Amino acid sequence: MAAPLRNDIRNIGIISHIDAGKTTVSERILFYAGETHKMGEVNEGEAVMDWMPQEQERGITITATSTTCRWGRFWINLIDTPGHIDFTIEVERSMRVLDGAVAILSAVEGVQPQTESVWRQADRYHVPRVCFINKMDRVGADYRAVLAGMEARLKARSVLLQLPLGNEAEFSGVIDLLAEEVLTFSAADQGKTVERRPIPPEYLDEVRIARNKLVEAAADFDDGILSDYLAGERVDAERLREAVRKGTTSCRLFPVLFGAALRNKGIQPLLDAVGSYLPSPLEIPPANGKGPGAEELKTLHCDPEAPLVALAFKVLAEEGRKLTYLRIYSGTLRNGAALLNSSRGVMEKPARMFRMHAHKREQVMAAAAGDIIAVTGLKYALTGDTLCDPDHPLILDGLVVPEPVVTLA
Ligand code: GDP
């Protein structure tokens, strides 16, 4: 299969308080994105569609450390971030490999203690976020209270990209404020068909007010928007999108979308938003590293031609074999190439490289800067180790360098 262009990669996590719907949203993302994937080629991935009747299917998708799915031109690496409060260190660790995140909030419970803690961690690592207010179908859903909580407790400047169409049992879809149209999700085919239609007259005033707020927020990131607005001109969707994207990638603005994952509502626009507003690996500040004995930090550009530098961010034992997940910050990792584990001072050799999908692993021969890949055959690597080109030894900065546990034979 084709390799992703760096511009089209989105390395994202889903962060939330427990019970807000992280699992349900993740499953739906894989379901809808898997469909898109299947249209292009035949694969065996039927089982992921069985999520509704079969609880046991859950394990497949949610225990995966990083699952790649396709959405239009985008390659989304969905990285599992442990949500439980006890795993805070692990959350911090995984934050490092995220270029962006979807923050899920329950429309009923709003900002909860773990929402706050993961939000702060995301702040600390400058992870851009889009927010998904889930469970809009539940009794007591009150999105205005959620927005107030975001402002008061998260100190986050939110901006609505949508308005919910109906509330609680009447929640039937969303109003897209950029395109100014209603999106509903067919009940007949598990929400796969997105229907677009004009905004009902009774919503027009509310939409006008909300869109003006969106224009005002966007104007902070594009000077031209304000003058157009003041001149009474309509600011087009593409221009708004670009400005909101700037605000989002710089962590100064947090776009908000609505849905009810359990009712198959709102996931496709969320996937669109991941592509539109969250940054590619080219748009995030580059990682840094230090050579042995060097004082100065070296900037690691997301360049496939540069010397290889990768981070082992998760090591799993699988059927007696080690599977190591790598985030490649610079260079290209090629199958069979010798690597230096610079954190431990040992040479390593990956046996095979895989792109992990929900139901299959696809063997690849190379993976380039910006991507996430799983490899077998690394004997010594532990979570947090740097792997690099032996001719350009370097350790990624900002990581706790562990004591070497093995010496070079
Ligand atoms: P997690 O703990 O964040 O992974 O949350 P889950 O995805 O396991 O969801 C927690 C509970 O909320 C489960 O019982 C879900 O079925 C339910 N749930 C998730 N999304 C929705 C939704 O959109 N509407 C309603 N009514 N329930 C939901």
Side-chain angles (χ1 to χ4, degrees):
M1 198 201 286
L5 296 173
R6 285 169 297 159
N7 212 11
D8 296 341
I9 298 176
R10 297 290 181 273
N11 295 315
I12 64 154
I14 298 186
I15 59 174
S16 70
H17 184 93
I18 192 152
D19 247 25
K22 180 171 140 176
T23 310
T24 313
V25 171
S26 306
E27 285 172 345
R28 292 331 190 243
I29 285 179
L30 295 176
F31 173 68
Y32 294 115
E35 274 300 293
T36 314
H37 183 201
K38 277 182 52 176
M39 279 189 244
E41 64 176 90
V42 180
N43 70 37
E44 72 279 32
E46 287 292 320
V48 75
M49 294 156 68
D50 293 340
W51 40 259
M52 276 212 289
Q54 289 175 1
E55 276 286 306
Q56 68 267 27
E57 286 294 337
R58 287 192 148 204
I60 293 170
T61 53
I62 60 168
T63 58
T65 296
S66 173
T67 309
T68 305
C69 60
R70 300 293 309 271
W71 184 252
R73 68 178 175 93
F74 298 106
W75 296 66
I76 300 173
N77 291 320
L78 195 59
I79 301 152
D80 185 43
T81 55
H84 196 275
I85 199 94
D86 290 347
F87 298 142
T88 303
I89 290 174
E90 215 172 314
V91 176
E92 299 239 358
R93 218 181 247 155
S94 48
M95 285 289 167
R96 224 192 117 91
V97 298
L98 303 183
D99 299 334
V102 172
I104 302 180
L105 294 122
S106 159
V108 182
E109 281 88 10
V111 175
Q112 293 173 278
Q114 283 163 40
T115 325
E116 269 185 83
S117 65
V118 289
W119 191 272
R120 305 246 170 278
Q121 283 158 345
D123 278 344
R124 203 171 314 132
Y125 287 89
H126 303 287
V127 179
R129 277 145 275 173
V130 296
C131 303
F132 185 71
I133 301 186
N134 190 32
K135 306 195 183 186
M136 284 300 295
D137 62 308
R138 268 187 52 194
V139 174
D142 181 356
Y143 81 85
R144 291 185 184 85
V146 181
L147 297 178
M150 283 181 63
E151 198 183 322
R153 291 174 65 185
L154 306 178
K155 310 277 180 274
R157 184 179 179 198
S158 61
V159 63
L160 296 186
L161 300 182
Q162 304 172 335
L163 279 179
L165 186 72
N167 200 41
E168 300 179 340
E170 259 82 66
F171 175 68
S172 58
V174 296
I175 302 171
D176 182 334
L177 293 175
L178 285 93
E180 293 179 279
E181 61 186 3
V182 165
L183 309 181
T184 54
F185 310 93
S186 153
D189 62 358
Q190 300 176 324
K192 270 183 262 171
T193 306
V194 182
E195 277 148 20
R196 292 163 196 276
R197 52 186 167 84
I199 297 167
E202 67 269 28
Y203 278 93
L204 286 175
D205 277 348
E206 207 186 325
V207 168
R208 188 175 43 78
I209 293 165
R211 196 174 200 270
N212 284 348
K213 281 192 185 160
L214 169 60
V215 170
E216 276 167 31
D220 285 350
F221 304 96
D222 175 350
D223 293 339
I225 288 182
L226 192 62
S227 46
D228 282 5
Y229 179 57
L230 294 177
E233 283 174 37
R234 184 179 184 278
V235 185
D236 72 72
E238 205 39 58
R239 188 146 197 195
L240 281 175
R241 192 170 294 124
E242 220 22 70
V244 172
R245 176 179 175 77
K246 272 192 201 153
T248 309
T249 50
S250 58
C251 291
R252 286 184 289 166
L253 197 59
F254 300 94
V256 175
L257 301 104
F258 296 96
L262 191 66
R263 314 278 170 222
N264 309 320
K265 292 189 172 96
I267 302 296
Q268 294 99 322
L270 175 63
L271 281 162
D272 290 340
V274 166
S276 297
Y277 302 104
L278 294 179
S280 79
L282 287 174
E283 294 161 297
I284 57 156
N288 295 305
K290 260 187 201 166
E295 286 299 309
E296 260 175 54
L297 279 178
K298 221 177 143 195
T299 304
L300 304 172
H301 294 288
C302 180
D303 173 6
E305 307 301 330
L308 178 81
V309 182
L311 170 73
F313 69 95
K314 183 97 183 183
V315 180
L316 295 175
E318 221 193 34
E319 294 160 14
R321 283 196 304 179
K322 259 172 83 172
L323 190 67
T324 309
Y325 283 84
L326 302 177
R327 159 82 198 237
I328 304 174
Y329 285 98
S330 148
T332 299
L333 177 64
R334 288 178 216 287
N335 199 38
L339 297 174
L340 172 68
N341 180 333
S342 50
S343 305
R344 292 172 197 283
V346 289
M347 293 299 288
E348 299 255 40
K349 197 162 183 174
R352 287 173 169 214
M353 302 168 53
F354 298 100
R355 183 176 294 286
M356 307 298 277
H357 296 275
H359 282 281
K360 60 168 187 183
R361 44 171 76 180
E362 175 202 346
Q363 197 175 346
V364 295
M365 299 314 282
D371 215 344
I372 285 175
I373 209 84
V375 303
T376 57
L378 301 186
K379 289 198 187 117
Y380 308 108
L382 296 180
T383 304
D385 286 1
T386 304
L387 293 145
C388 64
D389 180 339
D391 294 333
H392 297 87
L394 178 140
I395 294 181
L396 280 159
D397 188 48
L399 299 170
V400 182
V401 180
E403 289 295 307
V405 291
V406 284
T407 46
L408 195 51

